[in-house]
């Protein structure tokens, strides 16, 4: 793995050539580390990136998350998303109710954390 960046700098990086738009989420790992802190790793394939096109986003200091899947739907193409910094927290929503830059109670498939790290894999 090769580190990309973290937090605010990662958000800036992912707003350019390495956008999550039209990516494919192919794996989610949810686990506790040695300190019993919850960590969520998302593995994505960037369909339009040149060169490195597989990344891992590692969320630590999880404050809230919610993911839902039903067997009748595909897992999981990213058609819209929000990746925001709000009050020193980092928010990724893969199924936003609206495309405004804030958290909505109607957003689905989201993570709110203290930190997010990006890696090429």
């Amino acid at each position: 793995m090769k580190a990309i960046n973290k937090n605010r700098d990662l958000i800036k990086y992912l707003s350019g050539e390495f956008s999550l738009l039209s990516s494919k989420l192919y794996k989610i790992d949810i686990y506790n580390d040695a300190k019993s802190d919850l960590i969520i790793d998302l593995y994505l394939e960037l369909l339009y990136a040149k060169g490195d096109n597989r990344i891992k986003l590692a969320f630590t200091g999880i404050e809230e998350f919610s993911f839902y899947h039903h067997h009748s739907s595909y897992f999981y193409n990213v058609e819209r998303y929000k990746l925001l910094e709000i009050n020193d927290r980092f928010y990724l929503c893969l199924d936003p109710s609206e495309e405004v830059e804030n958290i909505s109670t109607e957003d689905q498939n989201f993570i709110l954390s203290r930190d997010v790290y990006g890696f090429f894999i």
Side-chain angles (χ1 to χ4, degrees):
M1 275 192 298
K2 181 174 98 177
I4 298 172
N5 225 318
K6 70 177 189 174
N7 297 338
R8 183 178 302 129
D9 293 328
L10 179 63
I11 291 173
K12 288 178 189 174
Y13 188 86
L14 293 176
S15 66
E17 175 186 348
F18 289 95
S19 170
L20 301 181
L21 195 59
S22 297
S23 64
K24 180 178 179 179
L25 175 66
Y26 64 91
K27 182 179 177 181
I28 301 173
D29 285 336
I30 302 171
Y31 58 96
N32 285 320
D33 68 2
K35 300 178 208 170
S36 294
D37 291 330
L38 188 64
I39 296 175
I40 299 175
D41 293 337
L42 301 182
Y43 296 82
L44 298 116
E45 182 176 3
L46 308 176
L47 300 180
Y48 297 108
K50 296 175 179 90
D52 294 322
N53 69 341
R54 287 194 167 213
I55 64 170
K56 176 176 100 169
L57 300 179
F59 294 84
T60 62
I62 305 299
E63 294 191 1
E64 184 178 5
F65 80 94
S66 175
F67 281 92
Y68 174 79
H69 174 72
H70 189 273
H71 69 89
S72 65
S73 61
Y74 290 106
F75 183 86
Y76 190 99
N77 297 314
V78 179
E79 297 174 2
R80 297 183 318 158
Y81 73 96
K82 295 178 191 178
L83 181 56
L84 311 169
E85 178 183 9
I86 298 176
N87 299 326
D88 295 324
R89 301 294 185 257
F90 297 91
Y91 180 75
L92 173 66
C93 177
L94 297 177
D95 190 10
S97 64
E98 46 190 37
E99 293 187 32
V100 295
E101 292 201 10
N102 62 12
I103 296 173
S104 169
T105 57
E106 297 179 16
D107 285 348
Q108 298 180 32
N109 302 325
F110 67 87
I111 301 169
L112 178 63
S113 67
R114 286 189 306 265
D115 294 294
V116 58
Y117 302 85
F119 303 90
F120 288 115
I121 53 174

